[in-house]
Amino acid sequence: MLNKSIITAILTVTLLSAGCSTIQHNLLMKGQIVDVSPTTVTLCIGTRDGAKPGDTLAVKRSVFKEGYVATDEGESMFELVHVGEVKIKRVINEHYATAEVLDGDIQLHDTAELQK
């Protein structure tokens, strides 16, 4: 009986561990643009984040809210604005990948995140 419980526990942990990378890849992949050229960018997203060639990411920029007037404590004076899309061409290592600019005006320090 004890052996059966141990085997069940091991199988459960193994299955949950395998699913975590999928959950992270589908929900949490996000990183900063660290280099920009006319048609490609380098982003701080790599194998550690679950990046794969062909992934399309939305690119957003943090901008100051026009006409911002603080009304609530903790309210942000910034908002994220969609500025384009990129598609991962090559994953360099666990931290970085290069991507083709599909559209938009992508700039250094913009944030790319996996489209859901």
Side-chain angles (χ1 to χ4, degrees):
M1 186 69 166
L2 181 61
N3 288 340
K4 197 174 200 180
S5 296
I6 292 172
I7 291 170
T8 302
I10 291 170
L11 286 173
T12 302
V13 169
T14 302
L15 289 173
L16 288 175
S17 297
C20 286
S21 64
T22 303
I23 290 170
Q24 180 180 2
H25 181 69
N26 290 331
L27 299 176
L28 302 175
M29 188 169 35
K30 180 188 268 188
Q32 190 175 54
I33 304 294
V34 295
D35 187 52
V36 178
S37 74
T39 58
T40 62
V41 296
T42 301
L43 27 140
C44 190
I45 293 175
T47 56
R48 185 174 174 184
D49 305 294
K52 294 183 237 166
D55 286 341
T56 300
L57 299 102
V59 181
K60 299 183 179 185
R61 184 172 302 137
S62 184
V63 297
F64 187 77
K65 289 181 185 174
E66 193 169 321
Y68 170 79
V69 177
T71 56
D72 293 326
E73 184 177 329
E75 182 182 4
S76 176
M77 66 180 88
F78 295 95
E79 62 184 331
L80 286 176
V81 176
H82 180 85
V83 294
E85 292 181 348
V86 298
K87 181 185 245 182
I88 295 179
K89 290 299 179 188
R90 183 172 73 94
V91 178
I92 299 169
N93 58 29
E94 68 180 310
H95 299 291
Y96 299 102
T98 57
E100 168 188 16
V101 176
L102 297 177
D103 70 9
D105 174 32
I106 313 300
Q107 296 179 9
L108 200 60
H109 308 300
D110 286 345
T111 300
E113 62 184 350
L114 185 66
Q115 294 192 19
K116 301 170 187 142

